[in-house]
Amino acid sequence: MVRSRRRRRKAAGKPLVLGVSGLVAVGAAAYGLFAVSTPPVVRVSAPVPVVASPSPSPVSAVEALPSKHTDRRAADYFKKRWSDKAATRLKDIRTVGGYLRIYTDLPESANNSKEALTLCERGLEYLREAGVAEPVVFVQAEFGENGNPVLANVLGASDTDCRVTHPDLD
């Protein structure tokens, strides 16, 4: 058997070198152990007194119409004349393409409801006083899956009431 004449070197005496990632890992582990062993701090403060604020009175939405497309004349007309339950359902009034559109917070299921019909009749009155020969009014539900569905309407001078009708599908 032949022996190598080379001597093996011992690793003793070499400094331990850690890279930046090694230091970060050691620090994170040490912090994790420290954070787990530290009990949580609970702070107790005096209760804050609750002051009752006056409940807001029901205000017609016409007073704070949100749209830059709002027909201000129509809004003023509605605001000055009515402040009942139907008026509180009003969210916006617009004149689009010659048609008066009355946007409400009524649900899609409120077809021909009392509030929708009342708002439609008021829109018709507004257009007649403005001298419109062929008045067209749409009262529309709140925005939903189907956009703003029509709840009540008048489709011109020959339309006698605000009720929405549906064609017979035979």
Side-chain angles (χ1 to χ4, degrees):
M1 199 171 190
V2 180
R3 250 182 173 195
S4 168
R5 296 204 179 245
R6 295 177 117 185
R7 290 180 145 186
R8 291 186 190 190
R9 294 187 184 204
K10 291 185 178 179
K14 285 192 177 182
L16 178 64
V17 178
L18 290 176
V20 174
S21 60
L23 288 174
V24 170
V26 170
Y31 177 75
L33 291 174
F34 174 74
V36 170
S37 64
T38 306
V41 176
V42 178
R43 295 185 181 170
V44 179
S45 61
V48 178
V50 177
V51 179
S53 62
S55 61
S57 60
V59 178
S60 171
V62 177
E63 294 178 15
L65 290 172
S67 173
K68 67 180 179 181
H69 304 289
T70 298
D71 182 336
R72 296 292 174 193
R73 269 190 10 212
D76 290 343
Y77 181 88
F78 274 72
K79 180 180 174 181
K80 289 177 184 174
R81 297 185 70 135
W82 298 287
S83 62
D84 59 355
K85 185 176 180 179
T88 62
R89 298 301 218 153
L90 183 63
K91 296 301 168 204
D92 201 359
I93 302 174
R94 300 177 185 179
T95 302
V96 180
Y99 304 151
L100 184 66
R101 295 190 179 273
I102 301 171
Y103 294 92
T104 69
D105 64 355
L106 292 167
E108 185 176 341
S109 61
N111 274 356
N112 298 321
S113 67
K114 182 179 178 181
E115 289 90 3
L117 294 173
T118 299
L119 290 170
C120 180
E121 290 164 1
R122 291 174 182 176
L124 186 59
E125 181 181 322
Y126 166 74
L127 291 176
R128 285 184 178 145
E129 285 185 21
V132 176
E134 294 284 327
V136 177
V137 178
F138 294 102
V139 176
Q140 299 188 257
E142 65 185 344
F143 188 79
E145 289 180 16
N146 297 320
N148 295 90
V150 175
L151 303 175
N153 64 5
V154 171
L155 300 174
S158 62
D159 196 352
T160 58
D161 68 359
C162 286
R163 299 186 81 71
V164 174
T165 57
H166 302 284
D168 292 330
L169 301 174
D170 290 332

